[in-house]
Amino acid sequence: NAGVTQTPKFQVLKTGQSMTLQCAQDMNHEYMSWYRQDPGMGLRLIHYSVGAGITDQGEVPNGYNVSRSTTEDFPLRLLSAAPSQTSVYFCASSLIPGGTYEQYFGPGTRLTVT
Amino acid sequence: AQSVSQHNHHVILSEAASLELGCNYSYGGTVNLFWYVQYPGQHLQLLLKYFSGDPLVKGIKGFEAEFIKSKFSFNLRKPSVQWSDTAEYFCAVRTFSGGYNKLIFGAGTRLAVHP
C-alpha cells in the first residue's frame, strides 16, 4: 500500500496562475479531504468528499475547487492563485466519515504564490 | 463555534524531562479526541485517540493522554522525552453535528528536545 500520495511536493506559482494539486489513495477509502496548514493556525479544512461524485465545502473553500470522479483520486484546483494561498496542503483519507475512523495524511504539498 | 485550543505554542525541554501539552475544546456534545504528531519534514501521524471507555489512553512511543470531560480537556503526556520527540503536536477533536463529522485541529505545539 502506498497510502495517501500527493504531487507535487513543492510548487511556486505567480499570482493569477492556476494549478491542480493531486491526491490519490489506494486503501479504498470513501472519505477524502483537503487541509491547509498555516503557522499558528493548525490545519483548516478546505473541501471534503464522502464518496465518488460527492463533495462539499469545509471551513476555507474560497479560491479552491474539487471533484471526485473516482474513489482513488481527489484533486484540488486553485483557480487563480493568490499570495494568501501560500501554505502547505495536506490530503487525508479515511474508511468512512463517521464511526471510529482514523484519517491518514499524505506527505503534503508546499505551495508558494508570489 | 467549535474550537480547539492548545495552550503552548512552543515548548523546549531537555532529554528525560517530563512533558505535558494542554488541549481544550469547546463543544458540548459527543466528541472523539486525537493527538497527531508531525516530525520535521514529514506528514501527520496519529499518536493516539480516544473514542470511549477508559479516559486514560496510551499511544505509540510512550505517549498517553487523559480525557477529562468536565474540563473539556485532553492533555498529552510523556514521562521522559527523547531528542527524537522533537516535532509539532496537534490536538484534534471530531464532533458530530449535522450530517458531517468534522475534524477540528488546534494550532499545534512545537516541541524542541535538547540532548
Side-chain angles (χ1 to χ4, degrees):
Chain A
N1 269 6
V4 181
T5 57
Q6 290 181 238
T7 56
K9 283 192 167 57
F10 302 94
Q11 183 71 50
V12 179
L13 289 178
K14 288 187 170 20
T15 297
Q17 287 185 312
S18 62
M19 80 158 294
T20 299
L21 308 186
Q22 301 291 346
C23 173
Q25 52 88 12
D26 60 359
M27 297 175 281
N28 204 30
H29 285 173
E30 289 296 322
Y31 178 75
M32 296 184 75
S33 54
W34 277 101
Y35 293 88
R36 58 177 290 172
Q37 182 183 23
D38 301 294
M41 302 188 74
L43 277 78
R44 291 180 292 168
L45 183 67
I46 304 172
H47 284 285
Y48 66 96
S49 168
V50 297
I54 307 169
T55 65
D56 206 347
Q57 297 180 349
E59 298 173 71
V60 289
N62 291 344
Y64 308 94
N65 266 2
V66 292
S67 59
R68 185 95 179 269
S69 55
T70 66
T71 300
E72 296 76 22
D73 300 297
F74 190 45
L76 177 73
R77 278 182 286 279
L78 279 71
L79 309 171
S80 176
S84 61
Q85 293 179 304
T86 293
S87 187
V88 181
Y89 291 85
F90 288 98
C91 179
S93 74
S94 67
L95 193 56
I96 52 172
T100 57
Y101 77 103
E102 174 186 339
Q103 286 211 70
Y104 294 83
F105 285 84
T109 294
R110 189 174 290 275
L111 176 68
T112 302
V113 183
T114 61
Chain B
Q2 300 145 12
S3 65
V4 178
S5 299
Q6 290 184 241
H7 314 301
N8 313 100
H9 295 298
H10 291 95
V11 173
I12 302 172
L13 293 173
S14 298
E15 276 193 314
S18 65
L19 170 72
E20 181 158 4
L21 302 182
C23 173
N24 285 89
Y25 62 93
S26 63
Y27 183 69
T30 302
V31 294
N32 296 156
L33 300 157
F34 304 82
W35 275 98
Y36 282 86
V37 60
Q38 186 178 28
Y39 297 104
Q42 297 188 27
H43 58 281
L44 276 80
Q45 302 169 46
L46 184 66
L47 206 50
L48 49 78
K49 59 189 176 187
Y50 171 80
F51 292 131
S52 63
D54 188 346
L56 184 63
V57 291
K58 294 195 185 301
I60 60 171
K61 305 186 181 187
F63 285 91
E64 64 178 32
E66 184 174 15
F67 170 49
I68 303 180
K69 191 174 180 181
S70 61
K71 295 186 179 179
F72 299 90
S73 70
F74 190 55
N75 292 355
L76 181 71
R77 299 194 290 249
K78 186 170 183 178
S80 175
V81 294
Q82 301 172 307
W83 176 80
S84 58
D85 293 324
T86 294
E88 191 158 15
Y89 294 81
F90 294 92
C91 180
V93 174
R94 183 160 65 101
T95 62
F96 300 83
S97 58
Y100 165 52
N101 302 319
K102 188 189 298 188
L103 192 64
I104 303 167
F105 283 85
T109 297
R110 212 176 274 275
L111 171 67
V113 180
H114 294 303

